[in-house]
Amino acid sequence: MFITNKQLSRRTVLKGMGVTVALPFLEAMTPARSAFGAVGTGKKIRVVAIEMVHGSAGSTAFGIKKNMWAPAAAGREFDLASTSLVSLQPYREYVTVVSNTDVRNAEAFTAPEIGGDHFRSSAVFLTQMHPKQTQGSDVRAGTSIDQMYAQKFGQDTAIPSMQLCIENVDAAGGCSYGYSCTYTDSISWAAPDKPLPMIRDPRVVFDQLFGVGATPQERAERRTEDRSILDWLGTATARMQKNLGAADRARLTDYLEEIREIERRIQKVEARNSSGEPRELPEAPIGVPDSFSEHVKIMFDLQALAFASDVTRVFAFKLGRDASNRVYPESGFNGAFHSSSHHGEREERIADFKKINDYHVSLVPYFLEKLKNTPDADGSNLLENSLVLYGSPMGDSNVHNHKRCPLFIAGHAGGRIKGGLHIHAADGTPMANSMLAMAHALGFDDMQSFGDSTAAMDLNSAAATPVATDSKA
Amino acid sequence: MRILVSAAVAAATMSLGLTAQQTPTQKKPALAQSHPVAQRATPAPTGLSDDAQNQLVKTYCVGCHSEKGRAGGLSLASFDASKVVEHADVSEKMIRKLRAGMMPPPQARRPDADTIKAFYETLENKIDVSAALNPNPGWRPFQRLNRAEYQRALKDLLGLDVDVTAYLPPDTVSTGFDNVADEQNFSPALLEGYLRAASQISRLAIGDRNASPTSATFKIGRFGSQMRQIEGAPVGTRGGISVVHVFPADGDYVIKTSFHYEPLGGLFGRYSMLTMDISEQLEVSINGERVALLEIKPSMSETDQQNGTNGLELKTPPIHIKAGPQRVTAAFIQKLEGPVDDLVAPLENTLADVDVQFGITALPHMRDMTILGPSHVTGVSETVSRQKIFTCRPTNDREEETCAKSILTRLTNQAYRGEATADDLQDAMEFYQKGRKTGDFENGVRMALQSILVSPRFLFRMESGPSTGSGQARVANASATYKVSDQELASRLSFFLWASAPDAELIKAATSGALRTPAGLEKQVKRMIADPRSDALSTRFASQWFRLQDLDKIHPDVLLYPQYDDRLAEAMQKETELFIDSLVRDDKSVLEMLTADYSFVNERLAKHYGIPNVTGAEFRKVQMPPYRRGILGQGSILTLTSVADRTSPVLRGKWVLEVLFGTPPPPPPPDVPTLDESTKSEQGGLRLSTRQRMEEHRKNMPCASCHRVIDPLGLALDNFDVTGAWRIKDNEVPVDVVGQLYDGTKMDGPLGLQAALLKHQDMILRSFTENLMTYALGRRVEYSDMPTVRSIIHDASKHDNHWSSYILGIVNSPAFRMMKPETTKDVVAADDRSR
């Protein structure tokens, strides 16, 4: 895809012209196999859950008619040309489009919840649970699918999972209607009452993944210091507990768990390093880029790099923030995101809104290419062994509904998802059905339900009706 | 009617005296004085009878607020005037709407104003009397230092300005503030951030002889003009960047700069350089002293990649720079001066379109600056932080231990806010020894500092529970309240007024017991307000209350508003902060934030407002034009409530209702587009102003009921455009600002709005007090706090609503000085979280 727009970033233009430019971090990051080959054997599935807010043009009545998100044909013979997914065409054999599913738990259940869709949806996306309307410490949604996977299968790596975002999440007055900001800010929930913070600065992501220090020796020294501090911190924190009330004591117990978790991570890194892998790392990135696409790309770079070096296997990646009015000049349309999403169901405005959807999806192939070009330990490549899901917990954003929400999967999840398929779910199918099926594909063979799921979807056949739970995908 | 409340409270106070004295551990006299409710005493008649109240509710409210109708989610069908206190949550909701004059709704049948007043004052009276008998100071979990507090505490402790956003995850905001305790969650990312910060900051503070070369990059956004001298840069320069960077060691550093470019990679500004024969130079200076002068060539291009360097980058030779914070500036030498006659009108947003380059508004612009190094480290020179840390220097091995002990005694005591124990010192000394073993004396101190910076004693503001506490006896009874200790009170004070830890004098006052007397407390509060650190009340409290951080997210359309850029936005934010700061320091009335006829501007902002005779980058107090009064005449608020290409009366009205009135409008129904999004700026060949577009929409009845309230507030400000500049036409149609407040008050432009708002000043004062309390306490203000809020306002109104009377009112309130033991629910919530 080549968009003509004078505010296009120079990099894109140069690519279009076939000129190469030195891009220090990006170039350096494509790892040589010798330096980064993943350790061990057996398939290790990498999971990336990407959320975009505000639904899609293809979820409107007009957009469905015009196939703006879902292709016209279900099955294997689908045509992406009219859809926002057109940029995925080169990877269609890796792509499973799941259309026509609903995120019912993002709807309002009671009168005071009406209108608060923007401030509740993100918490629903990966949990498929209905968030409790509260501003207090009693926030409650569900455990998100990325965290379930990280908790069960992510413990072999130094960092079980990471949470990244693009937009600033501290907009004042950006969350209201009685909802804690945390519902808007995070898509990753370690437990129903434990949202995880999302990191926006690529430099911080890098430092967390690989540690601070210019040389392996420096990084090792700092790890040793941190270990001795953590050791003491456990005792010092426990010592403080005795003077506190019960609730504060419980809070500190929580903190003690974080201390043990960081200790565990350091041990993992040291165990790994003692096996003698050379660790040549690219230069650390330099803060948050101005451009949306550059920011997204560098975050994708870091995810691919983390997978290649097996520091972590799970990412949650939040591309937008509800009610954000960011403008994406590179989409070829200059309207603000939130305003444009309230298109009043007018055809020409829906078409404009679709340009933003197209643009967001068009950033994904960059990541898929990186994954495909990175060999994995089992001889295949990272895309083969990944499950990348991309979607939105909203459908038609103009009316704040959560029906016919956008969703697709990329990657073969180690062979359990075949790809090259468009599944058009029966009307009223919960999106949770597809997530239950993804959980099955990720090794949660016995999981009976997820969120408001009614059955697991068969991700490898285009049957219009969902199959029963007991016949696993 | 106030009289009525006071009488009952006076009676209540007498009986309170009795009840309280039965609790032997409470210091009675101090408590009575510290609770302003108790000070009032005037005889008065009684309010409305229970029957009369029940009848009123039945006649005027239950029609909509029935079990079935539940308008606004509220049923008053079972309202019982004798149970007003038991259902204080509902009663407070009623009081709020009644006092605002919003209920019964404007078109509905309503009793006369005196009856409404008598009714809500009766409700308040009942609740306040009961609260005076049973003060409820509320409870919250312990607070941790948030980003801003961590940064400011470091500055106080080590004299170091560190950008903590590089380490710590963002703080969760609750009801507008980033310091609300029960939203402060823990995560591995947070702990990891604390560890990384402690490791790095301890090295920067002490200096690092073994520092290996790294790079630090400072980006310059695309939305800022680089045609004028920027803050911190030497005179005679334009644009560029000026930062204070903390250098880890004395050594050689290279400063690398890069420039903005055209779409195809050529230097932005090269046409101007070529056609006008201008030679551009970039000066790099350290603390104002030139260390390099770099020539900029119009032929520079990013497509030019030789020897791994980028053609758009310029590097200085290695420069020897000393350790510690130093100001590094890279800025263009100003070559042109004087009136501009350009092909295109000079823009402020000079990089709005990098394809357009004519004349002198299109000179080269810097894109970022990177500091690389150090190499050839020669040592570590004296720095502010080192002087703060190394209060002694061992001259031989034997003195080392004693010296370390003296240094760490001071550091732990300050870092742990006056509550360091022998154990704490012992722990720090162990880390000193660890560091000493692997390095020198300084490394030992550094290692100890690293441990201090990550200690829960530093990061968490623990307050001991009711049943413990050293020295001071506390209430053991689970339902009784207890006082926070003197040191804890000192911390509460300093985080409220300074957003940082207590200084030595405050710690001393706490230790000596001086904070226990009202006079001693007031003395400290006055001293702290006079201290420069009380800027936190404007930069942290007011800016969050006003939502100034949202200004960052608004980018007015560059084609419609080419005069707007980041420099202007920064000036707007600073204006509002300086303005509030002056109100606090001069102890003005809180209401002056709406009425002041002065403000603070620099040249850039003065030009934007059309104020003559202001030159230079410094801000100064000026008389404002008659239509700009208080914050609603300031660019910051007016811009952050706009959208990119037009004003939004809805957002402005909503801002007034939410922020100033504390009565946010209900959410719009789900199936309608945002009101002002869907009408076009042209209809049938006629241009429509924003107002006309709105009115088109208000014909829609379901919208009208709320937007009749919201829109006129914003429309009254429609003479201010998206960027807060004055205008008389909108989309070529004359601006019409006439409208009505929901209570029928006519509003004609900003001054009319001001008058209408001042008619409801009790709401504004209540919203102010609630927000200041939320910020001060680190918890959301609940309905049970409303008696305290009313009492603070009542007392402050006797002192012309001065800022200090509100601050003292909060500081003296039970909510600030006391805690209620946590309820089982609180414990369960915390347990749940930690599982």
Side-chain angles (χ1 to χ4, degrees):
Chain A
M1 188 172 66
F2 187 72
I3 311 159
T4 323
N5 183 287
K6 57 183 177 180
Q7 275 169 296
L8 205 60
S9 95
R10 199 184 67 79
R11 182 193 289 167
T12 319
V13 174
L14 289 174
K15 267 190 185 162
M17 296 170 62
V19 182
T20 52
V21 202
L23 304 165
F25 180 67
L26 302 179
E27 213 167 62
M29 74 129 296
T30 309
R33 199 178 141 76
S34 62
F36 280 104
V39 282
T41 50
K43 287 197 194 302
K44 301 185 182 74
I45 311 303
R46 308 335 195 264
V47 174
V48 181
I50 306 172
E51 185 220 29
M52 195 52 196
V53 297
H54 295 177
S56 74
S59 304
T60 62
F62 176 68
I64 291 168
K65 204 168 74 193
K66 295 284 175 193
N67 297 109
M68 287 183 168
W69 182 270
R76 305 206 172 268
E77 304 303 319
F78 55 87
D79 178 10
L80 294 176
S82 64
T83 73
S84 288
L85 310 177
V86 62
S87 56
L88 298 172
Q89 186 59 33
Y91 297 92
R92 62 179 285 143
E93 285 317 307
Y94 284 96
V95 171
T96 309
V97 182
V98 178
S99 65
N100 206 36
T101 63
D102 301 347
V103 182
R104 265 182 256 164
N105 274 328
E107 305 277 357
F109 285 9
T110 62
E113 293 180 1
I114 293 173
D117 298 76
H118 279 305
F119 313 109
R120 151 178 87 227
S121 298
S122 284
V124 186
F125 183 51
L126 297 177
T127 64
Q128 295 294 327
M129 297 291 276
H130 188 68
K132 175 178 175 184
Q133 190 173 31
T134 175
Q135 298 204 52
S137 55
D138 51 345
V139 291
R140 182 163 279 269
T143 304
S144 56
I145 187 165
D146 59 312
Q147 287 307 301
M148 288 184 179
Y149 183 71
Q151 283 158 19
K152 186 153 178 198
F153 298 104
Q155 303 298 315
D156 298 343
T157 55
I159 301 176
S161 72
M162 283 189 82
Q163 290 70 39
L164 316 183
C165 69
I166 294 294
E167 297 280 344
N168 247 332
V169 291
D170 54 354
C175 36
S176 47
Y177 301 128
Y179 283 101
S180 163
C181 288
T182 199
Y183 292 126
T184 326
D185 293 348
S186 185
I187 54 173
S188 234
W189 291 67
D193 53 1
K194 198 163 169 151
L196 298 174
M198 319 282 294
I199 312 168
R200 178 166 179 254
D201 184 345
R203 176 57 188 263
V204 176
V205 179
F206 183 90
D207 284 351
Q208 289 198 2
L209 282 170
F210 305 109
V212 181
T215 62
Q217 193 202 344
E218 252 183 55
R219 283 195 279 270
E221 278 169 19
R222 298 215 179 179
R223 268 195 305 274
T224 312
E225 282 177 15
D226 283 348
R227 275 188 76 157
S228 83
I229 284 187
L230 283 164
D231 208 27
W232 160 76
L233 211 48
T235 339
T237 304
R239 195 168 64 202
M240 289 182 76
Q241 282 188 309
K242 63 174 187 283
N243 282 339
L244 300 175
D248 281 351
R249 259 203 314 276
R251 241 160 102 80
L252 273 193
T253 308
D254 193 9
Y255 191 63
L256 279 170
E257 272 177 34
E258 313 298 0
I259 293 173
R260 281 191 285 273
E261 167 62 17
I262 301 289
E263 280 180 323
R264 189 195 67 82
R265 291 183 185 185
I266 292 179
Q267 282 160 14
K268 283 279 172 201
V269 171
E270 292 187 340
R272 192 188 136 76
N273 287 355
S274 64
S275 63
E277 272 84 15
R279 292 176 64 81
E280 280 176 40
L281 291 169
E283 197 183 332
I286 52 169
V288 179
D290 290 337
S291 138
F292 182 82
S293 62
E294 282 185 29
H295 193 180
V296 171
K297 283 177 178 176
I298 205 160
M299 290 303 220
F300 277 143
D301 290 339
L302 287 164
Q303 293 173 63
L305 183 61
F307 286 166
S309 49
D310 210 27
V311 180
T312 185
R313 291 175 197 154
V314 185
F315 280 97
F317 188 18
K318 189 166 177 23
L319 289 181
R321 184 183 202 276
D322 268 276
S324 156
N325 259 328
R326 186 154 188 163
V327 176
Y328 306 96
E330 291 162 75
S331 68
F333 170 62
N334 266 324
F337 192 19
H338 184 215
S339 306
S340 321
S341 78
H342 286 284
H343 37 62
E345 308 296 337
R346 288 183 204 183
E347 298 180 357
E348 74 281 5
R349 293 193 61 187
I350 292 176
D352 282 340
F353 183 52
K354 175 175 178 283
K355 290 181 188 156
I356 298 181
N357 302 150
D358 294 358
Y359 167 66
H360 289 152
V361 175
S362 77
L363 298 170
V364 177
Y366 172 85
F367 184 44
L368 302 185
E369 183 189 357
K370 283 226 131 57
L371 294 178
K372 196 177 173 191
N373 292 339
T374 311
D376 201 3
D378 65 350
S380 66
N381 63 59
L382 282 179
L383 185 55
E384 199 62 46
N385 289 336
S386 292
L387 190 162
V388 179
L389 75 93
Y390 178 110
S392 176
M394 208 177 258
D396 183 352
S397 48
N398 180 51
V399 294
H400 287 182
N401 80 11
H402 307 273
K403 294 180 196 306
R404 301 169 286 278
C405 300
L407 180 70
F408 71 82
I409 302 167
H412 285 161
R416 298 186 75 165
I417 298 175
K418 303 277 183 284
L421 191 65
H422 168 214
I423 302 167
H424 182 86
D427 286 356
T429 306
M431 185 187 273
N433 285 12
S434 70
M435 292 197 176
L436 178 60
M438 288 184 230
H440 290 164
L442 290 174
F444 289 91
D445 293 337
D446 302 326
M447 191 184 282
Q448 294 298 310
S449 70
F450 179 78
D452 62 345
S453 70
T454 53
M457 183 180 281
D458 183 347
L459 293 177
N460 290 317
S461 100
T465 44
V467 294
T469 321
D470 49 3
S471 67
K472 264 167 228 131
Chain B
M1 201 52 214
R2 261 293 153 209
I3 312 165
L4 179 149
V5 177
S6 312
V9 172
T13 313
M14 283 182 271
S15 54
L16 171 70
L18 265 179
T19 330
Q21 267 159 11
Q22 290 163 348
T23 318
T25 43
Q26 264 170 344
K27 285 214 176 64
K28 197 61 238 44
L31 176 60
Q33 272 166 327
S34 74
H35 189 198
V37 173
Q39 292 173 352
R40 293 184 242 147
T42 337
T46 52
L48 292 180
S49 72
D50 283 3
D51 280 352
Q53 294 172 56
N54 289 339
Q55 198 52 47
L56 275 174
V57 171
K58 215 169 149 191
T59 315
Y60 296 101
C61 311
V62 179
C64 299
H65 296 287
S66 62
E67 259 327 306
K68 215 169 149 208
R70 294 190 85 88
L74 180 70
S75 162
L76 295 176
S78 54
F79 177 84
D80 178 354
S82 65
K83 299 251 167 65
V84 160
V85 174
E86 286 90 326
H87 300 293
D89 52 341
V90 174
S91 311
E92 291 291 353
K93 275 186 194 162
M94 296 169 72
I95 293 169
R96 185 169 299 244
K97 290 290 182 185
L98 292 172
R99 266 197 176 266
M102 288 174 170
M103 282 290 149
Q107 260 78 42
R109 198 163 54 102
R110 56 182 358 182
D112 62 88
D114 286 345
T115 310
I116 295 183
K117 190 161 187 261
F119 179 48
Y120 66 65
E121 289 189 343
T122 308
L123 293 180
E124 288 178 353
N125 181 23
K126 283 186 185 171
I127 295 171
D128 290 352
V129 168
S130 153
L133 286 168
N134 262 316
N136 178 358
W139 178 87
R140 60 155 169 72
F142 67 80
Q143 285 178 288
R144 63 166 171 78
L145 302 195
N146 63 17
R147 275 179 167 181
E149 291 162 348
Y150 184 82
Q151 180 153 10
R152 292 173 72 107
L154 279 181
K155 170 97 180 153
D156 288 348
L157 183 69
L158 303 171
L160 214 54
D161 257 321
V162 187
D163 174 19
V164 298
T165 60
Y167 305 107
L168 305 183
D171 299 301
T172 307
V173 172
S174 177
T175 53
F177 295 99
D178 61 6
N179 65 344
V180 174
D182 67 5
E183 288 277 9
Q184 297 186 321
N185 296 324
F186 300 127
S187 62
L190 176 73
L191 176 56
E192 195 272 344
Y194 282 146
L195 283 170
R196 211 152 29 83
S199 164
Q200 202 62 18
I201 290 163
S202 66
R203 282 174 168 82
L204 288 176
I206 305 269
D208 187 2
R209 280 189 180 77
N210 305 315
S212 48
T214 51
S215 69
T217 298
F218 303 87
K219 297 178 75 76
I220 310 174
R222 247 191 82 164
F223 300 103
S225 164
Q226 298 196 26
M227 301 310 291
R228 289 200 185 83
Q229 181 194 351
I230 58 156
E231 205 184 330
V235 177
T237 64
R238 67 165 183 92
I241 189 169
S242 182
V243 298
V244 174
H245 179 67
V246 184
F247 290 85
D250 301 2
D252 290 350
Y253 296 84
V254 170
I255 316 282
K256 196 170 82 176
T257 58
S258 77
F259 300 87
H260 279 287
Y261 45 74
E262 304 165 354
L264 294 183
L267 176 75
F268 174 78
R270 65 194 174 111
Y271 288 118
S272 308
M273 290 177 69
L274 290 169
T275 54
M276 307 200 322
D277 196 22
I278 307 168
S279 60
E280 284 284 289
Q281 291 171 307
L282 189 79
E283 180 196 75
V284 178
S285 60
I286 305 293
N287 300 325
E289 204 170 302
R290 178 183 295 176
V291 292
L293 193 61
L294 306 171
E295 297 291 331
I296 297 162
K297 297 192 195 74
S299 58
M300 288 165 68
S301 169
E302 208 181 28
T303 52
D304 175 19
Q305 309 276 338
Q306 285 170 355
N307 316 322
T309 61
N310 180 324
L312 263 187
E313 284 177 359
L314 289 178
K315 271 186 200 173
T316 66
I319 302 163
H320 192 78
I321 302 175
K322 291 194 163 153
Q326 319 284 355
R327 180 168 284 281
V328 185
T329 306
F332 299 95
I333 303 284
Q334 178 98 42
K335 299 275 179 162
L336 300 161
E337 194 75 79
V340 168
D341 182 12
D342 211 334
L343 281 174
V344 288
L347 309 178
E348 290 294 351
N349 201 337
T350 35
L351 282 172
D353 188 337
V354 288
D355 271 346
V356 179
Q357 333 181 25
F358 296 105
I360 67 153
T361 51
L363 293 175
H365 280 51
M366 258 180 79
R367 186 162 177 251
D368 55 45
M369 172 174 82
T370 304
I371 300 171
L372 297 155
S375 56
H376 303 104
V377 175
T378 53
V380 172
S381 294
E382 270 324 277
T383 64
V384 183
S385 344
R386 285 174 60 85
Q387 275 163 4
K388 269 187 131 108
I389 295 165
F390 294 111
T391 45
C392 56
R393 308 272 179 173
T395 50
N396 58 49
D397 289 1
R398 275 168 299 130
E399 285 172 29
E400 284 192 0
E401 180 114 356
T402 333
C403 176
K405 205 166 238 166
S406 126
I407 288 172
L408 295 177
T409 306
R410 195 194 69 80
L411 281 179
T412 48
N413 206 42
Q414 197 187 337
Y416 302 162
R417 299 178 280 278
E419 300 191 87
T421 62
D423 279 352
D424 293 328
L425 180 61
Q426 181 58 35
D427 287 359
M429 281 304 288
E430 274 171 31
F431 278 103
Y432 160 77
Q433 270 132 13
K434 270 187 193 142
R436 178 71 185 89
K437 220 179 283 171
T438 57
D440 54 6
F441 170 77
E442 288 192 359
N443 190 52
V445 174
R446 188 198 64 72
M447 191 68 214
L449 176 61
Q450 186 175 345
S451 75
I452 291 170
L453 293 182
V454 83
S455 165
R457 310 272 282 158
F458 173 62
L459 297 173
F460 302 154
R461 291 165 50 198
M462 302 288 186
E463 291 177 348
S464 30
S467 52
T468 56
S470 42
Q472 286 187 342
R474 298 187 185 217
V475 179
N477 184 341
S479 64
T481 56
Y482 59 93
K483 284 176 144 190
V484 301
S485 78
D486 290 330
Q487 295 297 352
E488 288 162 5
L489 183 62
S491 278
R492 284 185 173 206
L493 271 178
S494 72
F495 281 94
F496 173 27
L497 301 177
W498 289 349
S500 181
D503 63 355
E505 185 171 343
L506 185 57
I507 291 174
K508 214 173 99 193
T511 315
S512 71
L515 299 183
R516 287 178 212 165
T517 66
L521 189 64
E522 185 168 340
K523 188 176 154 212
Q524 285 301 318
V525 168
K526 291 262 157 91
R527 175 183 77 87
M528 292 173 76
I529 293 176
D531 187 283
R533 280 171 283 189
S534 68
D535 71 318
L537 289 170
S538 64
T539 60
R540 298 245 323 116
F541 161 67
S543 78
Q544 292 191 79
W545 181 35
F546 295 155
R547 292 149 188 207
L548 292 190
Q549 64 269 46
D550 286 359
L551 197 52
D552 268 1
K553 293 167 190 90
I554 308 295
H555 293 293
D557 189 306
V558 289
L559 295 176
L560 295 172
Y561 303 98
Q563 302 311 327
Y564 187 92
D565 76 333
D566 281 354
R567 299 288 95 73
L568 184 62
E570 284 160 14
M572 287 174 170
Q573 167 138 8
K574 187 142 185 200
E575 176 198 11
T576 303
E577 288 174 355
L578 288 173
F579 172 70
I580 297 295
D581 194 57
S582 82
L583 295 183
V584 176
R585 281 177 206 285
D586 301 343
D587 204 10
K588 291 288 173 57
S589 160
V590 167
L591 293 170
E592 208 164 307
M593 74 184 178
L594 294 176
T595 59
D597 60 358
Y598 58 87
S599 188
F600 297 80
V601 297
N602 63 2
E603 178 176 351
R604 185 68 209 284
L605 196 54
K607 199 176 143 201
H608 189 65
Y609 290 164
I611 298 170
N613 303 326
V614 178
T615 53
E618 306 82 50
F619 281 76
R620 73 217 66 176
K621 190 170 175 175
V622 294
Q623 179 76 27
M624 296 297 266
Y627 47 80
R628 287 193 196 273
R629 288 289 173 268
I631 50 168
L632 289 176
Q634 296 182 2
S636 55
I637 309 288
L638 294 164
T639 303
L640 73 86
T641 51
S642 296
V643 293
D645 57 353
R646 57 177 168 74
T647 57
S648 170
V650 176
L651 288 180
R652 285 182 180 170
K654 184 167 171 258
W655 189 92
V656 169
L657 288 172
E658 254 174 28
V659 175
L660 292 183
F661 276 4
T663 51
D671 53 348
V672 291
T674 314
L675 182 86
D676 57 358
E677 305 297 356
S678 51
T679 20
K680 294 207 149 180
S681 56
E682 262 180 41
Q683 233 174 39
L686 281 177
R687 284 173 176 274
L688 297 181
S689 67
T690 304
R691 183 193 187 96
Q692 289 163 326
R693 290 160 71 184
M694 313 273 323
E695 277 170 359
E696 203 41 45
H697 241 280
R698 260 192 285 157
K699 290 179 184 158
N700 182 348
M701 265 325 279
C703 305
S705 65
C706 286
H707 283 277
R708 214 165 32 215
V709 176
I710 304 170
D711 304 356
L713 291 163
L715 283 169
L717 294 168
D718 220 29
N719 272 131
F720 297 111
D721 74 7
V722 167
T723 64
W726 185 255
R727 65 177 181 185
I728 51 171
K729 282 188 172 179
D730 169 24
N731 204 17
E732 301 184 11
V733 179
V735 172
D736 174 8
V737 291
V738 180
Q740 276 190 353
L741 191 66
Y742 57 83
D743 66 359
T745 313
K746 278 257 177 301
M747 294 185 295
D748 180 3
L751 294 186
L753 174 66
Q754 184 206 88
L757 294 180
L758 288 177
K759 264 183 76 180
H760 293 280
Q761 54 175 273
D762 54 339
M763 292 171 67
I764 295 168
L765 292 172
R766 187 189 53 205
S767 172
F768 167 76
T769 311
E770 286 173 346
N771 279 282
L772 190 61
M773 255 179 93
T774 302
Y775 174 75
L777 300 175
R779 67 170 171 82
R780 286 175 299 284
V781 168
E782 312 280 350
Y783 68 87
S784 53
D785 293 307
M786 295 317 292
T788 309
V789 170
R790 283 190 282 270
S791 144
I792 292 169
I793 297 172
H794 174 83
D795 289 358
S797 64
K798 288 192 291 201
H799 298 98
D800 296 331
N801 292 309
H802 286 165
W803 271 79
S804 65
S805 40
Y806 282 92
I807 292 170
L808 281 166
I810 288 175
V811 164
N812 278 312
S813 73
F816 195 81
R817 316 195 48 167
M818 303 168 78
M819 283 264 262
K820 186 184 70 171
E822 66 222 346
T823 62
T824 326
K825 194 175 141 244
D826 300 326
V827 181
V828 170
D831 254 343
D832 253 15
R833 294 212 132 186
S834 55
R835 269 171 328 282

